[in-house]
Structure formats: structure tokens, C-alpha cells
Amino acid sequence: MSKKCYICNSEMAKRITSINTGWGSYKLTVDGVNAYICPQCGEVTIEGKDAVMLQKLSKSLVDVDENQKPDVLNLTEVFDCF
């Protein structure tokens, strides 16, 4: 499936990348996210279902003890745990 950048109308490339996310004051970088990246302007977009998953993940980690909250989370490592 091809996707055009809504900013510059260039063809976006599907890549695995890191996304900065969070909930409230808690900030988290999630590695291993499928995203479309524009080679022209650098805009990054993700599928709606992936955005919802990142929001739920960030929200669920808010109440975790401060010493156990990750700063970086790799989706491949999390997936391998299940």
C-alpha cells in the first residue's frame, strides 16, 4: 500500500522506527513501530490502530513504580515475552 505525505505530497516509505510518546508527564520512546516516513520532509505517520496501541501502552505504564518505568521500550522484546 502506498501513502502520500499530507505535507509535501511525496511518496512515503514504510519503515520500522522509534516513536516518542507518553501520558501526562510520563515520556516514553517505543522502538520497533511500523510507520510511514516521508523522505522529502521527514513527516512520520502511523496507522490508527498503532496509535491507539501506543496510547494504551503509555497510559498503562503511568501507575507503574517510578523505578520500574522504562524510558525506552522495544516492541519486539515485549512481543517475544508473550
Side-chain angles (χ1 to χ4, degrees), residues 3-5 10-11 16 18-19 21-22 25-26 29-31 43-45 47 55 62-63 68 70-73 77 79:
K3 188 172 185 120
K4 293 275 188 179
C5 178
S10 295
E11 190 73 27
I16 295 176
S18 297
I19 300 290
T21 186
S25 62
Y26 176 54
T29 299
V30 181
D31 294 334
E43 183 64 20
V44 177
T45 63
E47 300 286 339
Q55 286 177 332
V62 167
D63 295 327
Q68 296 188 7
D71 294 324
V72 177
L73 189 62
E77 292 171 359
F79 183 75

Side-chain angles (χ1 to χ4, degrees), residues 29-59:
T29 299
V30 181
D31 294 334
V33 178
N34 287 314
Y36 290 93
I37 302 173
C38 179
Q40 186 69 31
C41 70
E43 183 64 20
V44 177
T45 63
I46 59 176
E47 300 286 339
K49 64 181 175 45
D50 294 332
V52 170
M53 181 268 307
L54 290 174
Q55 286 177 332
K56 287 181 178 181
L57 178 63
S58 299
K59 185 178 179 183

